[in-house]
Amino acid sequence: MGLQAVRDVSLDLLGPDGVSDSGADLRSYSCDGLTGWRETPGLVVLPRTTRQVATIVSACARNGVPFVARGSGTGLSGGALPDAGGVLIVTARMRQIVSLSPEDRTAVVEPGVTNAAISAAAAPHGLYYAPDPSSQIVCSIGGNVAENSGGAHCLKYGFTTNHVLGMEVVLPDGTVTWLGGESWEAPGYDLRGVFIGSEGTLGIATKVAVRLLPIPESVSTLVADFPSPAAAGEAVTSIVAAGIVPAAVEMLDHLAIQACEAATNAGFTLTAGAALIVELDGPAADCEASFDLVRQHCTEAGATGIRVAADAVDRATIWRGRKAAFAAAGRLSPSYFVQDGVIPRTALGTVLERIAALAAEEGLRVANVFHAGDGNLHPLVLYDPAVEGQHGKADRLATRIVEICVQEGGSITGEHGVGVDKACSMPKMFTPDDLAAMRRVRDAFDPAGIANPGKVFPTPRLCGDRPGPYTPHPAEVAGLAERM
Amino acid sequence: MVRPCTAAEVAKLVKEAGAGGDVVEVVGGGTKGGWGLPSGTDAVTLSTSGLDQTFGHASADQTAVVGAGMRLGELQGRLSVKGQWLAVDPPDPTGGATLGGVFSADDAGPRRMRYGTMRDLVIGATFVLADGTVAHTGGKVIKNVAGFDLAKLLCGSLGTLAVVTELVVRLHPLPEASRTLRCAAPAGQVPELAFALARCPAEASAVEWMDGELYVRVEGGAAGLQKRVDQLAATLGAMLEADGTGRRAVDPVSGRDETALWDAVASARRPSRPPLSCRVVTRPRQFSDFHHWATVAADEAGAGLSVTSDPCIGVHDVRFTGPLDPALDALARLRRSLAGIGGTAVVRAVPRSVEGAVVWGPPPAAAAVMATVKRALDPGSTFAPGRFSPWW
Ligand SMILES: Cc1cc2nc3c(=O)[nH]c(=O)nc-3n(C[C@H](O)[C@H](O)[C@H](O)COP(=O)(O)OP(=O)(O)OC[C@H]3O[C@@H](n4cnc5c(N)ncnc54)[C@H](O)[C@@H]3O)c2cc1C
C-alpha cells in the first residue's frame, strides 16, 4: 500500500534510527501544544538533509500519501496534528546554522534550529533575530515560518514575514526550490510571503534565510497600575498619539494579576484593576526622552503607581511575571481555555465589557492578558470540568469571544494560527470567495492536496468536532517556555 | 480606457473583458510604464483613478483603509493632519503615483531601511480576479495570522494577477525631527562605512550612496536627535579619517536643504530615465564587487554609468547612459558577472523594442511555481499577459 511504500523508501534512506512506526513511538507525536486534538501518525520520519526530505515527499506524492511537517510541536492550533494514514516529517535533526554573515546581517539556518539558537549564534556579533515568541527556547524557525510567529516585541519589529528573506522549500511534488533568497529583494512574485503563515500546507521549508538586527543600545521598562483596563487602554492611546512606538505594551486585568503574582511574586499590585507593562528600546538618547513621556501619559491616564525596572534582572522578573499568565491561570481554576483573538486596540473597552457580559451569562470567569499595543487579546476562560455542563459553556464562550473580535473588525487569530482548531471559524472572517482565492493558491502549489490536509480551510468533516481545554506543553512543565 | 469607481464595477468590466477574450492592463498613475513588458496595443486599459474615494483613517489604531486609486501625495497629506504617514518614500517626482500602483510595483525609497516597503505596511487588501470574483485578504488589524497572506502575492505583481481596489495600511507617526549627514565617500570605502552605519546604535533610517557622495538620514524625537546625529557623525568621521586620505567633512543638512537633497536622490532614482535603467540586487557585502563590475561593464561597452545605491541593504539603481546599444552591451556584461554571486539585474526603463529576456534576465528558481500561480488566479491570461515574459 501507499504508506508501506513510503516506509520502505524512508528506511532505505534513513535507516531504522530515522523511522518510527511502532505504537508508543508514534503516539508520542500524536499532538502539538493543543493537546485536545490527537491523532496517531501512520509513520514518523526524522530526515537530516534537504535531499532526504525531498525523497520522502516525492515518495508521498507518487503514492498519494499525505504528509505533515513538524518542528518542535509547540503550535497551539493543532497545525502539526498528524494524519492517521500519512507521514509526519519531523525536522528535529535539521539543526545546523548553515551560515551567518555579520556584514550582511543575515543567517541561513536549517528548519529545526530553535528561534533562540539563532539569536544566540548572532549575539557575538552584536546582532539578534527580532521575532521573539515566548516559546522561543523550544520552537523551531520552520514552525515560525509556517505560523508567521510574532512575539511581545512585534508591535515595533513585526513578525516572521518581516524578517525572513527567503526559504529553500520542498514542494508537495518533491521539487526543491528557493522562494525569495538571501538578498533584500527578489524578482517575480513574492511566494515567500505566501508560504510564510501557510501552516505547512504549501510544502516544507528546509532552509531559512533570516535578517538580523543590531542589539538595541538601550532598554527601559515600567509597570503602571490602573484602576481598570479601560484606564490602562487610555494610557496606551495617548502614548501612541504622542508618536511613541514602544517595543512592547502588555496588559493584565485584575484576575490575571492575581494568577501571575501568585505564581511568580513578580511584584504586581494585587489591588490594581489592571497592570500595564511598557517597554521602550532603541537609541539611548531617544529612549530617555520618550520614557519620561510614557510615565507622564500613564500618570495623566490615572495610574495609581508606577514601577520602573531598575536593571536587567528586575526587567526579567517583570517579564517572567507576565509570561507566567497562561500556566498560572491554573491557580484560579482547575481548567481553562486559552483564546487568541485580535481587535483594533481602541475597541478594548467595548470588547472587555462584551466579554464580561457573556461570561456573566454563562456563569463563568474570564481572565484577560493582552498584547495591548497591537490589540492581540488572550482571554483565559476559566471553568471546572467537574461541574456538569461547564466544559460546554466554556467552549461556547471561547468561541463567542472570537466572534466578537471579528465583529469589532479584528481577527480570529493573532499568533496561534488556524490549524485544525479554528478552521471552522474561518468563514466568520472570510467570505466563500475569499477562501476560494486562497484555495486556488493552495491548489497551485499542491494540486493533490497532500501537504498538511485538513488544516486552515474549513471542511465538513472537521467542522463538527470541538477543541480541548488548556493543558501545559511539556516545555512549560520543564520550565523552558511560557505562553503569553 | 475604462474607469470603474467601485469593486463591483471592476468585477463587471473585467468579467466582460475576459469573456470576450480581451486583455486588461491596469494603470494607476501611469508612472511605471517601463516596468515589465507592455501588453500590446489592443489591451483594454483599466484606470484605477476612479477608485480614489475610500478613505478611513483610524488614527488611534494607526491604520487606514484607502482606495487603490488615491494618489500617494494626497494620502500623505490627509494622514499628516493627524501626525501620521504611510512610511514609504518611493521616487514620485510628478506626484502621479497611486497607492495601488506603488503597491503593485512594491516601489520604495531610501527609508525602506527602517520601515520596510509596501510589502511590510499593507495589512489587508480587496482585489478582483479575472473571473469577476471580489475577494479580501488580511484584515484591518496589524497582528493577524488568519489564512494565506495573499497581499504579499499581489505586492510587486505588476497588475498580472488581479485588480487591487482597496488597501488597508499600517501607519507610523511622522518623525518629529530629521537630519541628514552628507560626506564624500569613494566607492572603495562604501562597504565598511555601510557596515558601521547599519550597526550604529543611533539607528539611521536611510543610507544612500550616489556617485561618490554618502547621505545618512536620522529621524525621530526632537529631544534625542542631536545626540544621535553626533553619534553617527563620529562613526563616519572616524572611518573617513582612518582612510588615510586626510580629514573629510561630514556636513549636517536640515530643513529645506534636506528636502532638496532627498528630492535630488529621488529624481536620480526615477526609473524612467533613458536609455536604460535597471535595479540590481546583491548582498550588502557584495557592494564592491557590484560596483567594480558595473564600472568595468560600462567601460568595456563604451557606456556611461551612474549608480545610486542603498549599500546597507544591497539594493542599487544603475543607469547606463549614452546610445542604447552600448548600454545593452554593458547590461549583458554586468549580468554575466552578477550570475556568479547570485545577484540580479532587472530593467526598469528601456525602449519598447527590447525583448523580454533582456528586461528580466535569467529566471528565478521558482519561476515555474510563479507561472502556476498566475494560471491558477488568471487562467485566461486576462491581466497583462507577457508582462513577465519570457519567465511566464
Ligand atoms: C508555551 C508556548 C508559548 C507560545 N508563545 C507564542 C508567542 O508568543 N507567539 C507566537 O506566535 N506563538 C507562540 N506559541 C505558538 C508556537 O510556539 C508557534 O506557533 C511556533 O512557531 C511553532 O513552532 P514549532 O516548531 O513548535 O512548530 P510545530 O508546532 O511543530 O508546527 C507548527 C506548524 O508548522 C508547520 N511546520 C513545522 N515545521 C515546518 C517546516 N519546516 N516547513 C513547513 N511547515 C512546517 C507544521 O506543519 C504546523 O502546521 C507558543 C506556544 C507555546 C506552547
Side-chain angles (χ1 to χ4, degrees):
Chain A
M1 278 221 342
L3 193 58
Q4 183 64 47
V6 179
R7 178 189 334 227
D8 293 346
V9 168
S10 304
L11 267 176
D12 256 10
L13 193 67
L14 309 175
D17 170 55
V19 180
S20 294
D21 57 0
S22 77
D25 272 1
L26 292 177
R27 275 194 299 279
S28 64
Y29 290 102
S30 64
C31 65
D32 64 5
L34 190 67
T35 52
W37 291 93
R38 282 178 189 277
E39 189 72 79
T40 304
L43 181 71
V44 173
V45 296
L46 292 138
R48 290 180 192 278
T49 66
T50 301
R51 202 184 55 78
Q52 291 175 346
V53 175
T55 307
I56 294 163
V57 170
S58 294
C60 288
R62 274 198 311 278
N63 294 283
V65 171
F67 64 88
V68 178
R70 178 183 166 109
S72 305
T74 66
L76 291 173
S77 53
L81 181 75
D83 191 295
V87 184
L88 191 70
I89 301 179
V90 183
T91 61
R93 291 182 181 171
M94 302 178 79
R95 292 222 161 153
Q96 300 290 321
I97 305 244
V98 179
S99 62
L100 193 152
S101 167
E103 295 90 348
D104 295 323
R105 306 180 311 286
T106 55
V108 176
V109 304
E110 291 186 341
V113 171
T114 62
N115 173 297
I118 302 176
S119 287
H125 307 283
L127 300 169
Y128 77 115
Y129 176 66
D132 60 339
S134 20
S135 50
Q136 67 184 150
I137 297 178
V138 258
C139 68
S140 72
I141 187 70
N144 290 181
V145 163
E147 300 287 349
N148 190 17
S149 298
H153 294 84
C154 62
L155 172 63
K156 179 168 174 187
Y157 292 101
F159 314 92
T160 303
T161 193
N162 309 108
H163 296 270
V164 166
L165 295 170
M167 296 90 54
E168 179 194 72
V169 299
V170 174
L171 297 172
D173 66 357
T175 314
V176 180
T177 189
W178 269 86
L179 310 179
E182 289 180 56
S183 314
W184 260 249
E185 223 175 81
Y189 297 146
D190 182 11
L191 299 183
R192 138 195 76 140
V194 182
F195 191 95
I196 296 171
S198 64
E199 305 193 18
T201 61
L202 301 182
I204 301 187
T206 47
K207 283 193 190 73
V208 183
V210 300
R211 285 172 55 197
L212 304 169
L213 298 185
I215 295 168
E217 185 179 31
S218 163
V219 187
S220 318
T221 313
L222 63 75
V223 186
D225 298 332
F226 289 89
S228 67
E234 285 304 310
V236 181
T237 297
S238 58
I239 290 168
V240 168
I244 298 168
V245 184
V249 187
E250 298 290 324
M251 195 194 296
L252 302 169
D253 74 358
H254 181 74
L255 256 184
I257 292 172
Q258 311 308 305
C260 293
E261 191 56 22
T264 63
N265 289 315
F268 294 122
T269 309
L270 288 171
T271 50
L276 194 67
I277 303 170
V278 184
E279 186 158 290
L280 301 184
D281 71 8
D286 256 8
C287 271
E288 273 165 37
S290 302
F291 202 58
D292 287 342
L293 276 176
V294 167
R295 293 167 72 155
Q296 204 177 310
H297 286 295
C298 286
T299 308
E300 279 166 16
T304 51
I306 294 179
R307 161 187 171 199
V308 175
D311 51 29
V313 177
D314 200 19
R315 174 174 315 114
T317 307
I318 293 170
W319 278 111
R320 189 154 37 79
R322 163 61 186 87
K323 292 184 178 185
F326 285 8
R331 297 181 181 250
L332 303 175
S333 170
S335 197
Y336 52 101
F337 284 93
V338 176
Q339 193 45 285
D340 167 43
V342 190
I343 54 171
R345 189 179 43 73
T346 48
L348 176 65
T350 327
V351 169
L352 288 184
E353 271 170 31
R354 290 184 67 184
I355 292 177
L358 282 181
E361 230 172 77
E362 300 282 11
L364 295 172
R365 290 185 305 164
V366 175
N368 287 291
V369 289
F370 190 39
H371 302 294
D374 51 38
N376 190 190
L377 198 61
H378 289 312
L380 309 168
V381 180
L382 313 178
Y383 73 98
D384 185 350
V387 177
E388 174 81 32
Q390 269 207 357
H391 175 94
K393 284 182 177 177
D395 183 12
R396 188 165 59 221
L397 178 54
T399 306
R400 287 174 75 185
I401 289 175
V402 177
E403 291 173 15
I404 294 177
C405 291
V406 176
Q407 286 159 14
E408 294 290 336
S411 169
I412 57 170
T413 170
E415 55 185 23
H416 294 171
V418 177
V420 274
D421 191 36
K422 286 187 173 157
C424 302
S425 296
M426 286 288 276
K428 293 255 168 349
M429 194 167 157
F430 296 107
T431 67
D433 282 346
D434 300 347
L435 292 171
M438 289 179 204
R439 161 95 41 210
R440 287 202 204 179
V441 173
R442 160 125 167 79
D443 292 347
F445 274 80
D446 181 20
I450 57 170
N452 211 4
K455 314 293 166 66
V456 183
F457 295 94
T459 60
R461 189 176 72 86
L462 189 69
C463 296
D465 301 344
R466 304 307 311 160
Y470 170 89
T471 28
H473 187 269
E476 288 173 278
V477 177
L480 287 172
E482 305 95 355
R483 297 181 204 196
M484 289 193 58
Chain B
M1 157 107 77
V2 291
R3 190 173 168 277
C5 294
T6 62
E9 284 174 30
V10 172
K12 188 163 168 285
L13 284 167
V14 162
K15 212 170 148 180
E16 279 167 13
D22 283 337
V23 161
V24 175
E25 189 160 87
V26 189
V27 173
T31 61
K32 297 179 184 66
W35 294 41
L37 283 89
S39 314
T41 44
D42 50 355
V44 176
T45 303
L46 190 154
S47 162
T48 60
S49 59
L51 297 163
D52 63 343
Q53 293 304 306
T54 309
F55 178 72
H57 184 185
S59 61
D61 288 315
Q62 295 180 298
T63 60
V65 184
V66 190
M70 188 178 286
R71 297 195 176 218
L72 186 61
E74 162 82 17
L75 173 63
Q76 302 289 26
R78 291 190 186 200
L79 298 172
S80 68
V81 174
K82 295 277 173 61
Q84 296 181 348
W85 72 308
L86 173 64
V88 285
D89 56 349
D92 182 22
T94 61
T98 59
L99 182 67
V102 174
F103 171 72
S104 298
D106 198 20
D107 196 13
R111 283 186 272 182
R112 66 182 289 175
M113 179 175 165
R114 166 146 175 199
Y115 300 102
T117 70
M118 287 296 279
R119 177 188 188 279
D120 304 289
L121 300 169
V122 166
I123 56 177
T126 306
F127 54 95
V128 181
L129 295 175
D131 62 4
T133 303
V134 180
H136 311 81
T137 176
K140 293 196 167 104
V141 284
I142 292 165
K143 196 169 184 183
N144 172 18
V145 295
F148 291 180
D149 191 353
L150 298 185
K152 298 283 185 291
L153 190 57
L154 298 173
C155 185
S157 66
L158 296 176
T160 59
L161 298 176
V163 184
V164 177
T165 57
E166 198 173 285
L167 292 169
V168 190
V169 289
R170 75 169 292 186
L171 306 171
H172 284 81
L174 275 169
E176 209 175 16
S178 171
R179 202 79 55 81
T180 297
L181 293 169
R182 151 195 211 148
C183 61
Q189 222 185 343
V190 169
E192 47 170 331
L193 288 170
F195 183 59
L197 289 168
R199 305 166 51 115
C200 177
E203 290 183 6
S205 55
V207 175
E208 191 94 350
W209 185 82
M210 189 165 90
D211 294 330
E213 282 222 318
L214 191 71
Y215 310 118
V216 181
R217 184 170 199 157
V218 52
E219 53 189 355
L225 195 78
Q226 189 58 47
K227 278 193 197 156
R228 293 169 62 201
V229 171
D230 293 346
Q231 221 172 345
L232 282 164
T235 305
L236 277 173
M239 302 198 70
L240 289 171
E241 211 166 291
D243 174 36
T245 50
R247 203 178 161 73
R248 264 175 277 141
V250 178
D251 298 326
V253 185
S254 59
R256 232 174 297 155
D257 293 344
E258 188 182 19
T259 311
L261 184 154
W262 288 105
D263 283 348
V265 172
S267 115
R269 290 208 107 155
R270 186 158 44 102
S272 54
R273 306 202 35 194
L276 193 154
S277 304
C278 61
R279 164 60 53 92
V280 174
V281 181
T282 64
R283 294 205 245 154
R285 78 174 129 113
Q286 295 166 334
F287 177 90
S288 297
D289 287 343
F290 148 71
H291 193 267
H292 170 72
W293 289 330
T295 311
V296 169
D299 279 355
E300 288 181 356
L305 172 72
S306 169
V307 171
T308 312
S309 168
D310 288 2
C312 292
I313 57 177
V315 172
H316 327 282
D317 284 330
V318 172
R319 193 151 64 88
F320 292 116
T321 55
L324 182 60
D325 283 341
L328 288 172
D329 183 23
L331 171 67
R333 288 167 189 273
L334 174 59
R335 274 209 180 113
R336 277 198 292 277
S337 310
L338 287 172
I341 56 164
T344 55
V346 169
V347 174
R348 285 212 168 150
V350 74
R352 297 203 156 196
S353 56
V354 169
E355 290 172 17
V358 173
V359 172
W360 289 108
V369 193
M370 295 177 190
T372 315
V373 169
K374 163 76 176 169
R375 275 196 301 277
L377 292 180
D378 180 18
S381 256
T382 301
F383 294 124
R387 175 141 299 165
F388 284 94
S389 164
W391 291 356
W392 61 85

